[in-house]
Amino acid sequence: MPNRSVTFTGIRFENPFLLSSAPPTESENNILRAFDAGWGGVVTKTIGLHPVTNVVGAKAKFMRTGADDAQVSMKKRPGAALHSSWNWELISDKAIDWWVPRIRRIKEAHPAKVLIASIMAGSGNDKELRNWQTLAQACQDAGADGIECNFSCPHMDRKDMGSNIGKDEGLCSVVTEAVKEVATIPVWTKLTPATRDIVVEAAACFRGGADAMVSSNTFPSLPLIDPDSLEFEINVDGLVSSGGLGGPAILPMALANMAKMTQAFPDRAFSGIGGVSDFPQALSYFLLGAGTVQVCTAAMLDQAVGPNVIRRLNAGLDTFLEKHAADGWASVEDFRGIRRDRVVLQSQIRRPEGDSYQGGYEPVEGYAAPDELPLSVR
Ligand SMILES: Cc1cc2nc3c(=O)[nH]c(=O)nc-3n(C[C@H](O)[C@H](O)[C@H](O)COP(=O)(O)O)c2cc1C
């Protein structure tokens, strides 16, 4: 039997696959179902102290791309493939007093499974920093195995919350430090991709004492405008706000951020999220240096908690380890990060030699019409 287990930030996981903080982990029932289905861990839906009221109507939708056209739309069409999820959902609308007894019960029922509590408060004053500490302490006392600080929700109006913390290295450090002051369990920080250089914020969180970086949350984005009605495909009274994009569309961008961070901090711990629905995508994160992987969109589309997704992820890992037994790979740790150093500066990539060079244009399949191509390749 291959060894699926990993130790990540000192926590033992029976497998390296977690449900990320999102609707799949918004209730006790979902989390219990997720553990029964085989997930190694869950990150709870983000818990805060401020009252939360979501928008009228749908909080999340899925976009699909037609097989024969490049059209991206929320409209269901036969044969269309999943492109992304789009959401403008806020954090949990349940209070901390609702969460605490549930965290306790879940951990009592599943002591060997990992429960990470995602938390969020503001950062504009000392009271808000104390709110982070109150949340961390309450979840830790209830039995959570770790804390994930949400510095990454893309649709917070408040300047001192969500991704507005994740875009400010000073706030990243200060908030992490405040949580670390009270935490006796590992503290992870979930960063926003909406920043110029995620390595800067990762460094700031590590300076504040973070035990791991988590990336990616959703990317700031808008739904499409319907060409007939001229309305956004999701709107309330004709209005929309920036929301978050997840799912397959963000996988390459999330991998790019992961590679930047694991190269900058090769000895630190990283949890990869974005576009994972099966083992090959998780493998890319592991090969770049992530030690665990989290899933949201694919699980939402699979009976809300992803029983088939976790079955595929575990089976894929088993098959991969069996295939590479002769290489001496007995667990994720044996191949984690082995492709991290293949990401280099463009100038380090080999150029073609002599006559084969055509100025970068492919004469047969290029984007330029023939009369726009340089004379040498027409
Ligand atoms: C409807 C919805 C709600 C989400 N809520 C949260 C949240 O409360 N806290 C958080 O850290 N991330 C939240 N996320 C982000 C996900 O945890 C995850 O980072 C993102 O969706 C990318 O993963 P995916 O490509 O597997 O969906 C949410 C995502 C969706 C789609």
Side-chain angles (χ1 to χ4, degrees):
M1 177 76 177
N3 176 14
R4 293 179 192 150
S5 73
V6 294
T7 301
F8 182 80
T9 63
I11 306 171
R12 187 190 180 276
F13 291 76
E14 68 176 46
N15 65 61
F17 307 117
L18 290 82
L19 281 177
S20 71
S21 175
T25 59
E26 69 185 3
S27 67
E28 180 178 8
N29 187 39
N30 272 13
I31 294 175
L32 292 174
R33 281 179 56 219
F35 285 158
D36 288 342
W39 291 95
V42 297
V43 184
T44 65
K45 175 79 188 160
T46 301
I47 308 165
L49 290 179
H50 297 270
V52 170
T53 312
N54 275 295
V55 298
V56 171
K59 296 175 285 182
K61 288 260 195 179
F62 300 96
M63 300 204 236
R64 293 185 169 77
T65 312
D68 303 323
D69 57 32
Q71 209 188 329
V72 176
S73 174
M74 288 176 182
K75 286 188 193 139
K76 286 208 170 123
R77 288 159 297 152
L82 182 68
H83 171 275
S84 52
S85 60
W86 188 87
N87 88 87
W88 52 358
E89 175 174 292
L90 301 174
I91 64 172
S92 175
D93 51 13
K94 306 285 194 301
I96 182 73
D97 294 342
W98 184 92
W99 274 102
V100 161
R102 285 164 179 83
I103 292 175
R104 187 168 289 123
R105 281 202 297 266
I106 294 166
K107 275 305 295 180
E108 277 166 9
H110 289 280
K113 299 277 189 178
V114 177
L115 185 147
I116 307 292
S118 169
I119 59 170
M120 179 198 277
S123 55
N125 53 49
D126 287 351
K127 181 166 173 276
E128 287 295 345
L129 291 180
R130 279 196 299 276
N131 284 345
W132 283 97
Q133 295 181 324
T134 303
L135 287 163
Q137 197 116 44
C139 296
Q140 161 174 302
D141 292 348
D145 298 287
I147 300 292
E148 186 177 277
C149 298
N150 182 340
F151 296 168
S152 48
C153 254
H155 30 249
M156 308 298 300
D157 288 358
R158 279 179 62 143
K159 291 275 175 274
D160 69 336
M161 258 192 178
S163 61
N164 293 326
I165 297 182
K167 291 177 200 167
D168 182 317
E169 59 172 318
L171 293 179
C172 283
S173 267
V174 167
V175 175
T176 310
E177 229 172 272
V179 174
K180 282 294 285 187
E181 252 175 45
V182 299
T184 54
I185 52 180
V187 174
W188 307 356
T189 51
K190 185 166 175 182
L191 296 179
T192 176
T195 177
R196 193 184 60 80
D197 183 0
I198 198 165
V199 170
V200 172
E201 288 81 27
C205 294
F206 283 134
R207 275 199 306 279
D211 298 286
M213 280 321 114
V214 182
S215 172
S216 243
N217 204 316
T218 50
F219 284 65
S221 55
L222 287 178
L224 274 85
I225 299 174
D226 182 280
D228 298 321
S229 67
L230 305 188
E231 297 290 348
F232 285 98
E233 287 192 323
I234 181 169
N235 70 78
V236 175
D237 308 327
L239 301 177
V240 72
S241 71
S242 178
L245 196 76
I250 70 166
L251 174 62
M253 296 183 282
L255 288 177
N257 273 348
M258 185 53 67
K260 272 179 154 183
M261 289 193 293
T262 59
Q263 284 195 336
F265 309 101
D267 300 327
R268 306 307 291 254
F270 295 90
S271 188
I273 321 183
V276 174
S277 61
D278 205 339
F279 184 69
Q281 300 106 42
L283 179 60
S284 285
Y285 283 103
F286 293 139
L287 293 173
L288 289 174
T292 57
V293 161
Q294 304 185 25
V295 177
C296 167
T297 299
M300 285 173 73
L301 285 165
D302 174 25
Q303 301 170 50
V305 298
N308 294 301
V309 176
I310 183 59
R311 194 177 37 73
R312 285 199 303 262
L313 286 168
N314 276 332
L317 176 56
D318 291 352
T319 307
F320 184 80
L321 287 173
E322 276 158 18
K323 188 170 145 196
H324 288 281
D327 299 318
W329 297 354
S331 71
V332 169
E333 206 45 37
D334 293 324
F335 59 88
R336 188 175 66 80
I338 62 167
R339 288 292 175 267
R340 183 175 50 212
D341 297 334
R342 296 287 180 93
V343 186
V344 295
L345 292 175
Q346 238 267 341
S347 55
Q348 289 172 250
I349 307 286
R350 184 169 60 82
R351 266 54 184 168
E353 284 157 22
D355 293 346
S356 64
Y357 185 60
Q358 295 175 327
Y361 291 95
E362 283 291 337
V364 182
E365 225 188 2
Y367 290 105
D371 55 0
E372 291 168 0
L373 290 172
L375 282 174
S376 59
V377 294
R378 268 187 216 164

